Amino acid sequence: MIPFSPPKIYPELIDEIVNVLKSGWITTGPRTKQFEKDITNYCENKATLCLNSATAGLEIMLRWYGVKKGDEVIVPVYTYCASANVVVHCGATPILVDVENDFNISLDAIKKAITPKTKVIIPVDFSGFPCNYDEINELVNLPEIKKLFVPNTEEQKKLNRILVLSDAAHSFGATYKGKKTGTLTDASVFSFHAVKNLTTAEGGAIALNLPDVFDNKEIYNTLCIKSLHGQNKDALAKTQKGNWRYDIVEAGFKYNMSDLHAALGLIELKYYEKETLPARKHIFDYYTKEFSNHAWAEIPAYETENKTSSYHVYALRIKNISESQRDLIIQKIFDKDVSVNVHFQPLPILSFYKKLGYDIKNYPVAFNNYSREISLPVFYGITAEQLKTVTNVVISSVEEVLKNA
Ligand SMILES: *Cc1c(COP(=O)(O)O)cnc(C)c1O
C-alpha cells in the first residue's frame, strides 16, 4: 500500500529527542523559545508563539480579540472543522461563505457576509495556496466597512476594524507577492500536526503581525500567559532561585508546546526550505506533467505570478463527474493499494453543522470542488516508482469509471 502522507523521521530527530530527554527539561523551555525565534526569522513576522495545536492558536486569538456570543466570524465552508469549531467554542456564530474555483474564500462572499456583528475573518490557505490577501486586507480597511465595525473591547477599539486571522495550517513557507505566510495578515496560525508539511507530531504556532498600534512583543507575552492558565510565570521561570511565587491573572488555557515537540520542529525547520519544499514541489510538478495529458484532469493552481504554494495537498479534480463517481474512483484506487483522500468535506455536509442549519445548497462552488476532488499522496521520500504507480492507478481508475458512465 502506498501511504498518503507518512512523516519523515530523520536520524537527527531521534538524536535530538534523546538530547532533550537527557537534558532534564522536557516541557516548554529553551527549545520552544528557540523554535519561536527561528519561525520569526524564517517568516519575517513580528513575533511567534508556539502552542500545542493550530486549533489552540485560532481559539486563543479569537479570545484575545474578545470574540463572544452575539459576534460573527466569517469562515470559508471549504476547510477542516477546526477553523469553525473555535468560533463555536467562543459562543460566537460562524458565518460560512462559499469559495472560488481555487478552493479559497471568495472575496464577493465575504463582502456580502459582513455585518455590524462581524469581528473576525478567518481565510484558509487551502492546500498551501495563499488567499488573495491584498484584496481581503483592503476590504477590511475600506471606510464604509470600518464604519460598520462596532468595537467592544480594548483590542477591538485599538484595531478599530475586522481582524484578519489566517488559518495557515497548510501554508507554512508559501509566499504571496514575495512575502511569506505569517506576514500577510494581522495574525496567522500554522499547524505542525503529523500530516502537515512541517511537523512536531502535534503542535502549532501563532505568527503575530499586527499593525504598529500594537506592541507585538507585548501581545506575545499576554498570549503566553493566556496559554498557560493565566499564570504570570512559566515553569522555567519558576525554577530560578527563590522564584517560586506566581500569580494567576485570568482563567487561562493549557495550550503550551513542550520542548520535546519543539526539538522536532527545530530540526524540521532547518531542512524545510532547502529540502522539504523542493521535494514537495517536485511531486506536484510530476503529477501536473502526467495528468496534463488527460482531458478529464483539472490541475490545481499552486504557482502563479503572485503566489507559490507550500505544496501541501495535491487536489486533483476530475471534470464533469458526480460525487458518487468520485467515490467509486477512490474505491478503485484503494483497491489497487494506493491511499488517497478528500480535502475537504464542506462543513454543511457534516452533521454538527448541518444541524446548526447550514445548507450545502447555498455553497455551489464548494460542493462542486468537493464532489470532484481527490487528494494524491505527497510525502518526502516518495520514490519515482511510487509516483509512477500512483499516476497509473489514478489514470486507470478514472478511465474505468468514465468508460462505464
Ligand atoms: C490541520 C488543520 C487545522 C488544525 O490543526 P491542528 O494543529 O490539528 O489543530 C486547522 N485548519 C486546517 C485547514 C487544517 O488542515
Side-chain angles (χ1 to χ4, degrees):
M1 192 82 182
I2 296 178
F4 182 69
S5 165
K8 179 181 186 221
I9 307 299
Y10 305 69
E12 210 177 326
L13 287 177
I14 297 167
D15 295 344
E16 190 55 15
I17 286 294
V18 173
N19 290 339
V20 183
L21 292 173
K22 286 181 176 165
S23 77
W25 193 268
I26 57 176
T27 186
T28 314
R31 285 181 171 82
T32 305
K33 301 298 159 190
Q34 188 60 48
F35 187 34
E36 290 173 343
K37 287 203 185 93
D38 289 4
I39 293 171
T40 306
N41 283 335
Y42 178 74
C43 298
E44 302 187 308
N45 60 306
K46 294 174 182 168
T48 307
L49 176 68
C50 282
L51 298 166
N52 60 12
S53 70
T55 307
L58 290 169
E59 176 168 353
I60 217 160
M61 281 308 297
L62 294 180
R63 302 270 183 189
W64 171 78
Y65 205 50
V67 171
K68 57 169 186 4
K69 193 168 173 4
D71 292 336
E72 295 177 349
V73 176
I74 297 174
V75 180
V77 270
Y78 211 89
T79 185
Y80 183 58
C81 63
S83 334
N85 282 358
V86 293
V87 179
V88 176
H89 295 169
C90 293
T93 306
I95 302 298
L96 301 182
V97 301
D98 209 352
V99 293
E100 300 279 359
N101 183 258
D102 69 359
F103 298 93
N104 280 341
I105 195 164
S106 149
L107 189 73
D108 270 348
I110 297 177
K111 279 182 196 160
K112 288 183 189 132
I114 291 174
T115 75
K117 293 177 179 171
T118 310
K119 290 293 187 290
V120 181
I121 300 172
I122 306 184
V124 177
D125 298 334
F126 176 82
S127 74
F129 194 63
C131 298
N132 292 324
Y133 285 117
D134 278 357
E135 287 79 356
I136 294 171
N137 288 327
E138 204 173 292
L139 179 68
V140 297
N141 281 294
L142 285 177
E144 63 267 33
I145 299 292
K146 286 180 82 165
K147 222 164 57 199
L148 282 177
F149 186 72
V150 185
N152 295 320
T153 66
E154 280 302 304
E155 289 75 17
Q156 291 173 13
K157 282 176 192 149
K158 214 162 168 180
L159 189 62
N160 200 28
R161 61 161 169 80
I162 297 169
L163 178 82
V164 183
L165 171 61
S166 64
D167 178 338
H170 292 184
S171 63
F172 187 73
T175 64
Y176 175 79
K177 300 192 175 171
K179 293 197 302 188
K180 286 210 166 69
T181 53
T183 66
L184 305 173
T185 60
D186 298 318
S188 312
V189 174
F190 301 124
S191 173
F192 307 132
H193 176 268
V195 301
K196 301 297 187 335
N197 280 15
L198 187 157
T199 181
T200 60
E202 293 283 356
I206 303 170
L208 292 169
N209 210 46
L210 285 153
D212 288 337
V213 284
F214 291 95
D215 179 341
N216 283 264
K217 300 262 158 48
E218 194 183 301
I219 293 166
Y220 166 88
N221 290 332
T222 305
L223 295 178
C224 239
I225 292 170
K226 223 183 223 335
S227 69
L228 201 76
H229 285 301
Q231 186 172 309
N232 67 345
K233 268 176 209 166
D234 66 16
L236 191 68
K238 281 174 60 197
T239 61
Q240 304 301 305
K241 248 184 192 172
N243 206 20
W244 62 272
R245 192 185 289 279
Y246 61 86
D247 191 20
I248 296 296
V249 297
E250 63 175 317
F253 301 91
K254 185 62 169 61
Y255 286 162
N256 55 306
M257 175 181 277
S258 85
D259 267 22
L260 269 174
H261 294 89
L264 301 176
L266 281 167
I267 309 252
E268 293 244 329
L269 184 53
K270 208 165 85 179
Y271 296 108
Y272 193 69
E273 191 77 16
K274 274 203 314 266
E275 292 184 9
T276 310
L277 289 179
R280 301 188 77 95
K281 173 178 160 54
H282 170 77
I283 299 165
F284 271 54
D285 288 344
Y286 179 89
Y287 287 145
T288 296
K289 181 166 73 55
E290 294 300 314
F291 290 111
S292 297
N293 304 325
H294 296 270
W296 46 258
E298 188 172 342
I299 305 297
Y302 58 92
E303 280 167 359
T304 61
E305 196 189 334
N306 290 327
K307 301 177 189 180
T308 56
S309 176
S310 63
Y311 317 100
H312 180 53
V313 172
Y314 194 89
L316 181 69
R317 276 168 291 181
I318 316 300
K319 289 177 190 161
N320 304 315
I321 57 165
S322 66
E323 184 185 8
S324 57
Q325 285 175 308
R326 188 275 313 275
D327 294 351
L328 195 57
I329 293 168
I330 289 182
Q331 189 54 52
K332 286 179 182 287
I333 294 172
F334 270 100
D335 288 346
K336 294 169 194 159
D337 288 333
V338 171
S339 307
V340 291
N341 235 310
V342 174
H343 292 85
F344 289 106
Q345 300 181 75
L347 300 179
I349 68 178
L350 305 171
S351 41
F352 176 76
Y353 285 95
K354 198 191 277 181
K355 271 188 223 145
L356 285 183
Y358 300 96
D359 186 345
I360 190 64
K361 288 200 188 72
N362 298 325
Y363 307 96
V365 182
F367 185 76
N368 183 271
N369 287 342
Y370 149 78
S371 61
R372 302 184 296 109
E373 199 269 351
I374 303 172
S375 310
L376 305 186
V378 179
F379 57 90
Y380 194 96
I382 192 168
T383 64
E385 196 181 335
Q386 285 175 318
L387 282 174
K388 207 167 183 177
T389 304
V390 172
T391 312
N392 290 339
V393 160
V394 171
I395 291 169
S396 66
S397 303
V398 170
E399 292 183 345
E400 279 161 37
V401 170
L402 291 181
K403 198 172 64 203
N404 294 325

